[in-house]
Amino acid sequence: MWTLADRKIESRLLIGTARYPSPQVLQDSIAASGSQVITVSLRRESAQENNSKRFWEYLSESGAHILPNTAGCHSVKEAVVTAHMARDIFNTNWIKLEVIGNDDTLQPDPFATVEAARILVSEGFEVFPYTTDDLIVAEKLRDAGCRIIMPWGAPIGSGQGLRNIEALKTMRKRLPELTLIVDAGIGAPSHASHALELGFDAVLLNTAVALAQDPVGMARAFQYAVSAGRRAYESGLMQASSRAQASSPTVGLPFWHHEQNL
């Protein structure tokens, strides 16, 4: 068990709900992933056909806590208004804050994100801000009152994995008191496992599961990968070395005994 904001949960895998072939595949994938937190874009889902009563029933039946997000927002005002709508609709003060600054890279606007975070925290929201791997921005978000920060591994939907490992390591080391969740860019279970091995508290992903040939099977693979990564981190990974070290002792072996008698 670990604590995410005000809830104790078991899974360290958060999963998105967009772009699945069908609501049934979505529901089956959530179950296979073991995720207890699912993120939903209020703006995106409201505009699509799967915004049916049955779609929302699938989300409710999953038993997972819903983390609404402000995907598609490009300004502080848009993000704040969307957050308030999400709180009313989903009856939660959790909000994944996204304020996009560039439509090609979908890179978040750091200035607008920090400003929106400060406003929303003051209004009682538990803000999960999506940001880059920039340490200074993360520190500004912390100073704005965020207890949880979600740095990207790589741009959204790129599947590149952890593109700047040293920056992520530094963020983890410098912000030990915060909950850090790698969000965006995760394309393979090994990427998710690596993030957990680095000491990140969880990962959030969507495309890697939703667009897989077998979304349910991929969701299960990510469940195992996240669990393995966390166990490895807690068990203490060996340190990399620039030189080889024999795993078997040489003392007592026949060739060693022979050389000593020469």
Side-chain angles (χ1 to χ4, degrees):
M1 299 287 286
W2 67 294
T3 301
L4 177 61
D6 56 354
R7 297 176 68 93
K8 289 192 176 295
I9 59 178
E10 294 183 5
S11 175
R12 293 178 180 271
L13 174 61
L14 287 63
I15 196 166
T17 56
R19 307 183 70 181
Y20 285 82
S22 71
Q24 184 63 59
V25 172
L26 167 60
Q27 186 180 47
D28 293 344
S29 297
I30 293 172
S33 73
S35 178
Q36 295 165 288
V37 178
I38 55 178
T39 184
V40 179
S41 169
L42 181 66
R43 294 163 63 92
R44 181 187 299 133
E45 297 304 339
S46 296
Q48 294 189 3
E49 293 180 1
N50 62 2
N51 183 33
S52 63
K53 180 179 179 181
R54 189 58 183 149
F55 174 75
W56 297 110
E57 287 176 354
Y58 278 129
L59 298 185
S60 178
E61 290 168 2
S62 73
H65 188 75
I66 292 180
L67 171 61
N69 68 56
T70 64
C73 292
H74 289 76
S75 70
V76 173
K77 182 177 180 180
E78 273 189 296
V80 170
V81 170
T82 301
H84 279 276
M85 291 173 60
R87 182 161 63 179
D88 292 340
I89 292 173
F90 298 110
N91 192 31
T92 179
N93 69 327
W94 286 16
I95 190 71
K96 179 188 171 188
L97 175 62
E98 298 182 32
V99 186
I100 300 302
N102 185 284
D103 287 330
D104 292 327
T105 64
L106 298 181
Q107 182 167 332
D109 180 333
F111 308 104
T113 300
V114 171
E115 183 180 349
R118 184 176 293 111
I119 292 170
L120 292 172
V121 168
S122 71
E123 294 176 341
F125 285 88
E126 186 72 65
V127 181
F128 295 58
Y130 164 62
T131 182
T132 64
D133 49 35
D134 187 287
L135 175 63
I136 305 305
V137 176
E139 290 177 335
K140 296 295 184 182
L141 288 166
R142 175 200 60 193
D143 296 343
C146 297
R147 301 186 297 167
I148 300 158
I149 295 179
M150 307 180 76
W152 71 5
I156 294 174
S158 69
Q160 295 178 37
L162 310 185
R163 196 167 62 171
N164 193 341
I165 294 173
E166 291 306 315
L168 292 173
K169 284 182 177 180
T170 299
M171 186 180 293
R172 178 69 286 178
K173 182 178 180 180
R174 295 286 296 274
L175 301 173
E177 76 281 11
L178 298 185
T179 297
L180 299 181
I181 301 171
V182 172
D183 174 22
I186 300 293
S190 57
H191 299 158
S193 184
H194 194 184
L196 273 292
E197 289 171 5
L198 294 178
F200 282 80
D201 296 283
V203 295
L204 190 156
L205 55 94
N206 188 161
T207 308
V209 171
L211 299 188
Q213 292 183 2
D214 177 6
V216 177
M218 187 62 75
R220 187 171 291 112
F222 272 104
Q223 178 191 32
Y224 297 151
V226 167
S227 178
R230 183 63 186 185
R231 286 178 182 270
Y233 172 73
E234 292 176 342
S235 299
L237 291 160
M238 69 174 289
Q239 296 298 310
S241 173
S242 60
R243 57 180 294 185
Q245 299 184 52
S247 57
S248 299
T250 54
V251 176
L253 293 178
F255 76 88
W256 178 257
H257 178 74
H258 176 70
E259 290 176 354
Q260 291 295 315
N261 289 332
L262 291 178

